[in-house]
Amino acid sequence: MSNEKILGDPSSKSPRHTADDWLNTLDRARKPGPFLADHAAPGSGMSTVSVHAGTHDDPRTGAVGTPIYQASTFVLNDNQYQSVEEGFARDRFIYSRYGNPSQWAVQEKLAALEGAESAIVFSSGMAAITSTVMALVDKGAHVVASSDLYGGTYNLFNQEFPTMGMSCTMVDSYDFDAIEAAIQPNTQLMYFEAITNPLLKIIDIPRLAEIAKRRKVRLVIDATFAPPVAMRTLEHGVDVVVHSASKYLNGHSDLIAGVAAGPRKLIDMIWPRLLNYGGSLDPHACFLLERGLKTLAVRMRAHEESATALAKYLEGHPRVKKVFYPFLESHPDYATARRLLKNGTGNITFVIEGGDAAALRLVNALRIPKQATSLGGVESLISLPFNTSQATFTSRQRADVGIDPGCVRLSVGIEDAADLIADFEQALAAIYAKKEPAYA
């Protein structure tokens, strides 16, 4: 690999122009990328792509793996000046807020995993969501979104949108007639989540995509709960997919990051919002994310194996009233999950007897899962919606969205299923050892 390629993607050429031919010589084609190395992953399997796509062996030293380019700025020359003047600055290294080799490497890996032309990494999932949404709407725009949204996204649509002269209608993600009826003349975007939190509804994305295409509205999907090993969301007709990369993509509970992936044309529209809002991902964080992605496929298989075994155990326990896991036949979206998901995830939601007080005793009695928010890490994490994600809801509001007293949210890590089952067996036995007072 030559040193020249570290300066930027040499395949991105802008037309040399003069005052006479600039408007009539727009012959620059959009290419996938930008990329560091002009080579594809040596294989098509998800594990091979996870390990090799985008990874950049250092051309000076031969070091295996992408170096951390801990630099804020880069030496300028005629090439960079031309890129700014002629509109392809995204394909050159100028300043790390605009782009950095560490960002490019992990972006190429993420694009390859999603089957996308391009990807951008951000300093958080909300930075990715906000930048993507704001790039795809104009003043006065209307958005149709799921009523089962992550709290930060809900606040974007309900608190920030009105201050900017925009609006959002939230609808049941199961009710396709209501979704279509909510589309107005000024609707520019549909925004849904692939798998909802905490009840793990599996959304029929192809049906959403059909509505969006027919009604000429762009569709953005938050696939945080369904990383590309489980579902390549773009293949179902989605325009842009976003993730909180802090979760399954990174997988080690040591990083805050986000990503947006899709066609180069749309990602090029989102990139200026990254610059304007300042949500650039630090080079060292890029290194951590790329490292985490290398084990994505094997981690997801381990998550599914342990989660499926534990979900079956919980479903058969006499003190467990409900279990929500998409690969259980009892799940209302089991058929949709089998149709759309290539791999299960580690998320399980269940309801135990005794209400929220019993649920509190359960999480305190467990030895393996850690009481913490977030999900998708190698360690199991457990939390209760009533005092974390839905703490601001009233009891009636929680009931209205299907969150019953005693609801527990569990992100199963990669621990052995037998150990997890044994831990839940001892914890459940301990909290129900004595007769407890009745709880609502």
Side-chain angles (χ1 to χ4, degrees):
M1 183 184 299
S2 69
N3 291 341
E4 179 185 0
K5 288 195 176 183
I6 299 179
L7 296 176
D9 185 349
S11 72
S12 296
K13 301 295 186 183
S14 179
R16 291 285 185 178
H17 66 274
T18 66
D20 294 331
D21 66 9
W22 171 237
L23 291 177
N24 295 322
T25 317
L26 299 178
D27 56 0
R28 177 190 172 218
R30 293 185 188 271
K31 295 178 178 291
F35 53 82
L36 279 172
D38 193 8
H39 69 273
S44 58
M46 291 302 276
S47 281
T48 306
V49 173
S50 297
V51 172
H52 292 286
T55 294
H56 170 65
D57 298 337
D58 182 50
R60 291 184 181 273
T61 67
V64 175
T66 309
I68 303 173
Y69 291 90
Q70 198 71 48
S72 62
T73 192
F74 299 85
V75 174
L76 298 176
N77 56 33
D78 288 344
N79 188 281
Q80 275 88 346
Y81 294 133
Q82 180 192 353
S83 74
V84 174
E85 181 183 0
E86 299 187 0
F88 59 104
R90 190 182 168 214
D91 296 283
R92 296 294 184 269
F93 299 125
I94 297 171
Y95 188 62
S96 276
R97 183 161 61 86
Y98 290 27
N100 177 289
S102 298
Q103 293 171 356
W104 282 23
V106 73
Q107 286 170 176
E108 186 179 351
K109 190 183 294 290
L110 286 161
L113 286 165
E114 285 286 6
E117 287 185 341
S118 191
I120 305 179
V121 288
F122 298 82
S123 57
S124 70
M126 275 311 303
I129 291 166
T130 302
S131 298
T132 298
V133 168
M134 296 308 297
L136 300 180
V137 296
D138 300 317
K139 184 177 180 180
H142 174 258
V143 172
V144 175
S146 167
S147 55
D148 299 298
L149 282 182
Y150 169 65
T153 314
Y154 179 92
N155 292 338
L156 171 66
F157 289 141
N158 287 279
Q159 295 178 9
E160 302 299 327
F161 257 41
T163 70
M164 296 180 284
M166 295 183 282
S167 60
C168 177
T169 300
M170 294 190 166
V171 292
D172 184 341
S173 53
Y174 284 156
D175 192 339
F176 293 95
D177 289 338
I179 291 169
E180 186 148 14
I183 296 175
Q184 303 173 11
N186 62 331
T187 303
Q188 297 180 352
L189 190 69
M190 290 167 53
Y191 187 101
F192 289 79
E193 296 177 357
I195 303 177
T196 69
N197 172 39
L199 298 182
L200 308 179
K201 298 177 182 177
I202 309 298
I203 306 308
D204 195 336
I205 294 174
R207 288 192 66 179
L208 290 177
E210 187 279 325
I211 294 172
K213 182 177 180 180
R214 177 163 42 82
R215 299 297 297 270
K216 296 180 173 55
V217 175
R218 288 198 174 108
L219 175 62
V220 173
I221 294 291
D222 180 340
T224 296
F225 278 59
V229 173
M231 186 197 317
R232 279 182 136 185
T233 312
L234 296 170
E235 293 179 353
H236 297 293
V238 173
D239 291 293
V240 176
V241 58
V242 296
H243 294 263
S244 169
S246 317
K247 314 302 193 295
Y248 284 112
L249 294 179
N250 177 57
H252 290 79
S253 302
D254 57 6
L255 171 69
I256 299 296
V259 62
R264 177 73 193 253
K265 176 181 178 180
L266 295 182
I267 301 303
D268 279 353
M269 292 170 59
I270 297 167
W271 180 67
R273 293 312 198 282
L274 164 67
L275 306 189
N276 295 341
Y277 300 155
S280 181
L281 190 62
D282 176 81
H284 186 260
C286 292
F287 162 78
L288 291 174
L289 178 54
E290 187 187 355
R291 174 222 56 187
L293 284 165
K294 289 180 179 180
T295 60
L296 176 63
V298 294
R299 284 189 288 105
M300 293 308 300
R301 288 194 290 270
H303 285 305
E304 178 188 343
E305 180 181 351
S306 292
T308 301
L310 182 57
K312 290 178 179 178
Y313 164 78
L314 290 170
E315 190 172 46
H317 196 282
R319 296 289 192 170
V320 177
K321 298 167 67 176
K322 296 179 185 177
V323 178
F324 298 91
Y325 184 68
F327 279 7
L328 289 180
E329 291 186 15
S330 58
H331 192 284
D333 300 326
Y334 175 76
T336 305
R338 285 297 182 187
R339 174 163 51 91
L340 297 182
L341 296 179
K342 299 175 183 177
N343 195 107
T345 71
N347 294 96
I348 302 173
T349 297
F350 59 98
V351 180
I352 64 171
E353 292 180 359
D356 293 331
L360 277 170
R361 293 196 301 275
L362 174 67
V363 297
N364 288 327
L366 288 165
R367 297 165 182 162
I368 294 178
K370 300 178 185 295
Q371 292 186 55
T373 58
S374 198
L375 59 111
V378 292
E379 66 286 292
S380 293
L381 302 176
I382 196 164
S383 61
L384 307 179
F386 93 93
N387 64 6
T388 56
S389 55
Q390 277 77 30
T392 60
F393 286 24
T394 66
S395 298
R396 175 168 290 183
Q397 286 174 323
R398 285 195 290 271
D400 287 344
V401 296
I403 300 173
D404 297 332
C407 183
V408 179
R409 192 185 89 161
L410 174 67
S411 172
V412 177
I414 64 170
E415 300 97 344
D416 292 296
D419 290 331
L420 288 166
I421 290 171
D423 191 23
F424 272 87
E425 188 167 14
Q426 67 81 22
L428 287 165
I431 70 169
Y432 292 115
K434 296 180 180 179
K435 183 175 177 60
E436 301 290 348
Y439 294 92

